[in-house]
Amino acid sequence: MPATVKRPPARERILMTAEALFAAHGLRGVGVDRIIAESGVAKSTLYVHFPSKDGLAAAYLRRVDDSWRGKLRAAALAAGDDPREQLMGLFDAVSASYERHGFHGCAFINAAAESEPGSLPHEVTVEHKRTVRAWVRELAEAAGAADPDGLALQLTLLIDGTLAAGRLEQNPAIPAAAKEAARAAVERACPPAA
């Protein structure tokens, strides 16, 4: 008797389907009917879990937020104990995203371009960007930056610009150039460790 494969719960199937479709086609490029069809749930089931498409898009973005921030943290830690090197390690996560098959750029930048200010997806996007910048600021402060806010802003802009460029072309020279620019910014802003 063949083993049966247990299907994930409906909510998880909906989110997995939405994640793949939104990443590939954008928030506006995917209708609810397609998500229903590809996830194999009834319309009423989708709306029990997600009362609106904006709610589903926000759940998708929160899921991406957890994943992306985990990748950034792992890359920073993999760079070693020196906060200056951890700041450089962030760009290893960016570079790895370029290597992923089907990379479509930053989910948050893409969502911001497609959603109205004040909408739930836009609010989740703004929250994500502020949270990442605040964490990078903590690293910049630990690295001894004279202006940790300024350095965090510079580095997160480099990350965002690099991810946005990935939507256009997946040239590995782009994240390498961003890391080089980040290193110059960190060296200017942070004195070497004693």
Side-chain angles (χ1 to χ4, degrees):
M1 179 182 268
T4 58
V5 177
K6 187 176 179 183
R7 287 176 62 169
R11 185 179 198 285
E12 181 62 18
R13 286 196 324 269
I14 294 164
L15 270 173
M16 288 169 36
T17 302
E19 183 172 6
L21 292 172
F22 287 155
H25 306 290
L27 301 182
R28 289 187 185 166
V30 179
V32 172
D33 289 339
R34 183 169 180 190
I35 294 168
I36 290 167
E38 292 194 24
S39 65
V41 301
K43 185 177 267 192
S44 59
T45 302
L46 182 133
Y47 285 114
V48 163
H49 294 287
F50 304 99
S52 68
K53 184 178 175 186
D54 273 2
L56 177 57
Y60 150 72
L61 290 168
R62 287 186 183 106
R63 188 177 185 131
V64 173
D65 172 62
D66 287 342
S67 173
W68 180 237
R69 286 193 298 130
K71 289 174 183 175
L72 286 172
R73 287 184 191 281
L77 291 173
D81 295 332
D82 181 355
R84 292 164 44 99
E85 290 305 315
Q86 289 178 350
L87 289 167
M88 297 302 93
L90 300 175
F91 291 85
D92 295 336
V94 175
S95 183
S97 67
Y98 267 62
E99 296 167 7
R100 191 175 70 240
H101 177 70
F103 177 64
H104 297 284
C106 176
F108 299 97
I109 294 169
N110 297 343
E114 293 187 77
S115 48
E116 294 294 323
S119 68
L120 191 53
H122 195 269
E123 289 175 6
V124 172
T125 295
V126 170
E127 177 185 329
H128 164 78
K129 292 300 180 184
R130 286 182 180 154
T131 300
V132 169
R133 188 176 306 135
W135 174 67
V136 173
R137 186 212 179 279
E138 289 173 14
L139 285 177
E141 188 172 38
D147 179 9
D149 290 315
L151 182 58
L153 181 60
Q154 290 173 357
L155 295 178
T156 55
L157 286 171
L158 277 170
I159 290 169
D160 287 346
T162 305
L163 292 171
R167 177 82 174 164
L168 302 172
E169 59 178 311
Q170 293 177 332
N171 179 346
I174 295 171
K179 186 172 183 176
E180 186 179 320
R183 184 169 302 281
V186 169
E187 288 174 355
R188 269 192 323 272
C190 305

